[in-house]
């Protein structure tokens, strides 16, 4: 399925037993919400949150209510709530424009039953900020990294303890750990020899934790957590890449390396070798995000494009033993 619009972030979610996908459309400025049609077996338009220069749409479901945090480069970032009776999204909150000036990423997470989201700010005058749900709104809980151009953040758990990895321009990635007593994130370690990383994602294989670090210039890296630090296990040539996305489809672990100048490469994890091996290639113009969606026992891969159409692929299994 081809969606005839450009896109940045892609986030799937389940709400009231239906499957949805939220897609940021930077050119037209919308946050497009798609719904899986169980009859026609396609993704169709459900609603649009209109605006300008939308770069990220983050859905959250809290106590049965659907919220969408919409990050915009101009006109401010906002929180919307789904009003079931009016059958539309209504704006319930503005995000502090003094702290969030040039948003680049949003991650949401839950700690000890409480909901949070973090917005990464990539302007030198802004501040990456953690927001906490209070019961009737989201309020600033903690500010991280003043006066840095932050690029990306990833929430993950190490030994069942909440952590954040924060990336900044021309800086080493920083690993923060949640302090239960202070109820905030505190510095734990820098990740060495990983300067100029643009994006970070994590995945697990059995009990082992890995991270994908994307570089636009130089090599992208797979690192593994080893007791007290991350160690390098594999590199990819990635000049022109802005996303190295780990995804699990069926029982297979993949890593998708998008590229602005060449093919997008798909790698599959080889358990015996303990690394990713080249599996396939697809053509996407300026890919920025990949997301897997399960609907009616079918697995789909959404691929965003900053310069072309957004694409939806289906993951299928071919039995080669009968050939």
């Amino acid at each position: 399925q081809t969606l005839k619009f450009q896109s940045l972030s892609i986030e799937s979610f389940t709400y009231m037993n239906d499957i949805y996908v939220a897609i940021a459309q930077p050119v037209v400025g919308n946050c497009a919400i798609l719904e899986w049609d169980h009859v026609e077996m396609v993704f169709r338009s459900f609603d649009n949150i209109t605006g300008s220069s939308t770069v990220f749409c983050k859905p959250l479901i809290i106590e049965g209510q659907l919220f969408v945090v919409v990050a915009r480069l101009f006109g401010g970032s906002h929180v919307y709530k789904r009003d079931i009776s009016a059958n539309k999204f209504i704006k319930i909150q503005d995000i502090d424009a003094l702290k969030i000036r040039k948003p680049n990423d949003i991650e949401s997470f839950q700690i000890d039953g409480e909901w949070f989201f973090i917005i990464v700010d990539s302007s030198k005058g802004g501040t990456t900020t953690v927001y906490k749900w209070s019961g009737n709104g989201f309020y600033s809980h903690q500010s991280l990294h003043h006066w840095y151009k932050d690029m990306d953040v990833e929430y993950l758990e190490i030994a069942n303890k909440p952590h954040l990895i924060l990336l900044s321009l021309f800086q080493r990635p920083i690993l923060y750990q949640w302090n239960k007593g202070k109820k905030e994130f505190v510095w734990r370690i820098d990740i060495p020899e990983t300067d100029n990383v643009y994006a970070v994602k994590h995945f697990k294989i059995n009990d082992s934790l890995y991270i994908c670090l994307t570089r636009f210039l130089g090599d992208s890296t797979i690192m593994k957590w080893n007791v007290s630090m991350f160690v390098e296990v594999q590199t990819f040539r990635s000049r022109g890449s802005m996303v190295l996305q780990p995804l699990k489809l069926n029982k297979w672990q993949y890593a998708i390396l998008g590229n602005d100048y060449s093919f997008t490469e798909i790698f599959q994890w080889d358990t015996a070798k303990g690394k990713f091996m080249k599996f396939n290639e697809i053509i996407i113009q300026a890919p920025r995000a990949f997301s897997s969606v399960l609907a009616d026992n079918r697995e789909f891969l959404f691929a965003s494009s900053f310069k072309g159409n957004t694409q939806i692929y289906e993951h299928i299994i071919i039995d080669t033993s009968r050939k």
Side-chain angles (χ1 to χ4, degrees), residues 101-159:
R101 301 184 179 188
K102 192 178 178 183
N104 208 54
D105 184 32
I106 307 174
E107 291 292 327
S108 62
F109 47 91
Q110 196 174 14
I111 299 176
D112 296 331
E114 296 185 301
W115 277 99
F116 300 84
F117 69 80
I118 180 170
I119 301 185
V120 171
D121 190 88
S122 60
S123 69
K124 194 170 183 180
T127 305
T128 293
T129 305
V130 178
Y131 292 86
K132 178 182 175 182
W133 173 249
S134 68
N136 56 11
F138 294 92
Y139 296 94
S140 176
H141 179 75
Q142 182 183 2
S143 294
L144 296 171
H145 239 204
H146 294 274
W147 312 114
Y148 286 93
K149 294 183 178 181
D150 296 334
M151 302 305 296
D152 197 22
V153 70
E154 179 80 342
Y155 174 82
L156 67 166
E157 293 188 358
I158 300 175

Side-chain angles (χ1 to χ4, degrees), residues 21-293:
V21 181
I23 304 177
Q25 299 175 291
V27 177
V28 296
N30 292 343
C31 177
I33 311 294
L34 305 184
E35 178 185 29
W36 173 250
D37 188 322
H38 296 275
V39 178
E40 299 294 331
M41 294 293 197
V42 294
F43 290 93
R44 65 184 182 188
S45 178
F46 173 74
D47 206 342
N48 276 303
I49 300 174
T50 58
S52 62
S53 60
T54 298
V55 294
F56 213 102
C57 306
K58 172 61 75 172
L60 297 93
I61 298 171
I62 302 174
E63 299 170 356
Q65 299 179 90
L66 171 60
F67 301 90
V68 180
V69 186
V70 180
R72 298 188 175 104
L73 295 181
F74 306 103
S77 299
H78 312 282
V79 181
Y80 294 82
K81 177 182 175 181
R82 185 69 182 177
D83 188 320
I84 299 176
S85 59
N87 197 32
K88 65 178 182 179
F89 287 96
I90 56 172
K91 185 172 73 173
I92 64 165
Q93 185 178 342
D94 297 330
I95 301 296
D96 188 348
L98 294 178
K99 291 183 178 180
I100 306 302
R101 301 184 179 188
K102 192 178 178 183
N104 208 54
D105 184 32
I106 307 174
E107 291 292 327
S108 62
F109 47 91
Q110 196 174 14
I111 299 176
D112 296 331
E114 296 185 301
W115 277 99
F116 300 84
F117 69 80
I118 180 170
I119 301 185
V120 171
D121 190 88
S122 60
S123 69
K124 194 170 183 180
T127 305
T128 293
T129 305
V130 178
Y131 292 86
K132 178 182 175 182
W133 173 249
S134 68
N136 56 11
F138 294 92
Y139 296 94
S140 176
H141 179 75
Q142 182 183 2
S143 294
L144 296 171
H145 239 204
H146 294 274
W147 312 114
Y148 286 93
K149 294 183 178 181
D150 296 334
M151 302 305 296
D152 197 22
V153 70
E154 179 80 342
Y155 174 82
L156 67 166
E157 293 188 358
I158 300 175
N160 297 318
K161 295 178 180 178
H163 287 72
L164 292 174
I165 297 177
L166 182 63
L167 306 185
S168 305
L169 201 61
F170 308 124
Q171 304 290 324
R172 289 178 175 180
I174 295 177
L175 180 67
Y176 290 92
Q177 181 176 328
W178 180 258
N179 184 300
K180 269 198 167 187
K182 295 181 178 179
K183 289 195 172 184
E184 65 179 28
F185 289 98
V186 296
W187 178 91
R188 180 171 178 179
I189 58 169
D190 290 2
I191 302 177
E193 300 178 9
T194 53
D195 295 349
N196 299 327
V197 175
Y198 179 81
V200 55
K201 297 292 180 185
H202 83 282
F203 65 98
K204 294 188 76 173
I205 295 179
N206 298 322
D207 292 327
S208 297
L209 173 68
Y210 298 83
I211 57 173
C212 300
L213 299 177
T214 310
R215 280 192 182 95
F216 188 79
L217 298 174
D219 293 343
S220 292
T221 308
I222 304 291
M223 303 188 82
K224 180 180 180 180
W225 180 255
N226 184 13
V227 184
S228 61
M229 62 184 295
F230 284 103
V231 295
E232 181 182 297
V233 296
Q234 188 174 4
T235 61
F236 302 92
R237 292 184 179 180
S238 62
R239 181 177 177 83
S241 296
M242 298 187 75
V243 55
L244 175 57
Q245 176 71 56
L247 286 174
K248 191 158 190 180
L249 294 167
N250 201 286
K251 60 182 180 180
W252 292 282
Q253 179 67 53
Y254 296 97
I256 305 178
L257 182 64
N259 196 290
D260 281 16
Y261 307 138
S262 183
F263 294 103
T264 286
E265 297 178 292
I266 302 175
F267 298 86
Q268 189 181 69
W269 182 261
D270 188 312
T271 303
K273 296 180 178 179
K275 64 179 183 178
F276 286 102
M277 304 297 293
K278 182 76 172 287
F279 176 75
N280 203 350
E281 292 179 342
I282 55 177
I283 300 175
I284 302 290
Q285 288 183 279
R288 292 295 179 268
F290 299 96
S291 182
S292 60
V293 181

